[in-house]
Amino acid sequence: MMAPHRILFPAGGIWAIVAVGPVALDTGFDPTRSPLGGLTKWHAHEMLFGFAAAMFAGYALTAMTSWPGKARLSPEGVATLVALWALARLSAAGALGPEPGLAAPAAVAFMGFLTLILARSALRSRALRAAPLALFSLAMTGYQIAVVIGAGPIHLPVLAFAALLSVVGGRMVAAFTANSLTCSERQTRRVQAAGIFGLFGSVTILTALGLETLRAAPGWLGACLLLAAAFETTRALLLLSREILTDGLLLMLHAGYFWLPIGLALVALGKTQGAPLPEGAALHGIAAGAVACTIYAVAARAVAWRRDRLRASPFDGGGFVLVWVAAAWRVFAPAESQWAAAASALWGLAWAIFLARHGAALFHPAPRPVFSGPRRPDLGHPQDGQDRVATTRSEAS
């Protein structure tokens, strides 16, 4: 059976390039018939609901197999999901015309079907750890409907992805770190403290998302995002250790996650008068920085098996560096700069490497588990049982 991530990850990688191309180059593509109404909105929509949503689906459907009951999507289900993803891309491009009544159902069909799959499995498993993925998918379906019919701004789904990274991604970083590195009593206390700050960060981001949904005053939203950035910075720092430098996969994961507090702070500052960056650049700190870099780091684990352990490939490391630099370039370089197009070139090269790696993996059996490797036997872990639980949760979060 073809694992969903082995189809959806390449699909997302392709769309990471396609959704940027018309914005960076004069391709002649003009989505005037799109219900989204223009190239910039089409680009933003497709980066979130074409690229990032495909990657999320690949991860979530893989995590679903580790929930109680170990539900799996049938080959017919995988084919249907991929077909709906393609239909949604056509609808967003204007293939069905600009009328929301016809285009909107097709545009949200992929997210809607994914939500049904995850919700059904979460209810059957009765596992608390399954709830965040199903609820996020439901929220994104609602936000996509609002965006397509023009009832909601595109930056709301960006903040929703920030919340997902905090709730799920932060726990994943902690679990993978604990599984791979020596956990002394001091480090264990740091991980526990990071969990507390992470909880505060998640609650604060969700509060900010609620305030933005209700269109609260920008001052309140900015303060909330700055507080969330402080919590997430503290969490990220507590999880750091020198040993991370010896594990390329962990280093990528931490470097990607560190974009989350940066992006939150930039969006918060964008709510003030005389903001140092345009709103679009600040939002790219979350979208191109935190979301894309974390996606790249997590997906790299699916093709990192070497004999009996996960080991970073120089190609994956190089691709990640390109994505990271492209994100920084897009955020901080002036949009009108003659070098601004370089960010798109680096971005495209990074995802071309991604496609080559994940395309080659199709000719080999899929590893199990997909994202979490075995515990290193040379490390003395004082809390072995706790780490085993953490490893399982990191796959299922």
Side-chain angles (χ1 to χ4, degrees), residues 267-305:
V267 175
L269 293 175
K271 299 296 180 181
T272 62
Q273 289 186 350
L277 290 174
E279 183 182 35
L283 288 171
H284 273 82
I286 297 177
V291 175
C293 289
T294 302
I295 283 172
Y296 208 107
V298 172
R301 304 178 74 89
V303 292
W305 279 94

Side-chain angles (χ1 to χ4, degrees), residues 17 26 44 54 117 143 197 200 212 215 219 248 251 272-274 286 290-291 325:
I17 299 172
D26 185 11
I117 295 169
Y143 282 132
F197 280 98
F200 291 155
E212 184 71 341
R215 300 183 181 181
L251 183 59
T272 62
Q273 289 186 350
I286 297 177
V291 175
V325 172

Side-chain angles (χ1 to χ4, degrees), residues 363-392:
F363 298 96
H364 304 281
R368 291 290 176 185
V370 176
F371 302 113
S372 59
R375 180 197 312 281
R376 284 172 51 186
D378 57 311
L379 300 181
H381 291 260
Q383 73 288 14
D384 285 347
Q386 178 181 337
D387 281 349
R388 275 194 292 271
V389 173
T391 304
T392 302

Side-chain angles (χ1 to χ4, degrees), residues 124-291:
R124 285 192 170 187
S125 69
R126 298 182 181 179
L128 184 61
R129 66 177 182 267
L133 297 181
L135 289 175
F136 171 78
S137 185
L138 176 62
M140 288 298 287
T141 303
Y143 282 132
Q144 188 181 15
I145 293 173
V147 168
V148 172
I149 66 175
I154 194 66
H155 59 261
L156 280 175
V158 176
L159 290 180
F161 265 107
L164 177 72
L165 283 179
S166 180
V167 174
V168 175
R171 290 194 305 162
M172 185 193 308
V173 173
F176 286 155
T177 301
N179 187 52
S180 301
L181 304 183
T182 304
C183 284
S184 62
E185 184 176 348
R186 179 173 177 272
Q187 184 65 20
T188 300
R189 289 198 299 269
R190 288 171 63 93
V191 171
Q192 292 171 343
I196 295 173
F197 280 98
L199 176 61
F200 291 155
S202 299
V203 171
T204 311
I205 295 172
L206 288 169
T207 301
L209 181 60
L211 290 173
E212 184 71 341
T213 303
L214 297 174
R215 300 183 181 181
W220 284 102
L221 177 62
C224 205
L225 290 173
L226 276 179
L227 185 60
F231 286 139
E232 290 295 345
T233 299
T234 306
R235 172 200 241 176
L237 291 175
L238 285 169
L239 292 175
L240 289 179
S241 74
R242 291 182 181 179
E243 286 183 277
I244 291 171
L245 299 176
T246 66
D247 188 318
L249 291 172
L250 270 185
L251 183 59
M252 285 191 284
L253 198 58
H254 280 261
Y257 192 79
F258 229 103
W259 266 109
L260 179 59
I262 294 173
L264 291 171
L266 292 175
V267 175
L269 293 175
K271 299 296 180 181
T272 62
Q273 289 186 350
L277 290 174
E279 183 182 35
L283 288 171
H284 273 82
I286 297 177
V291 175

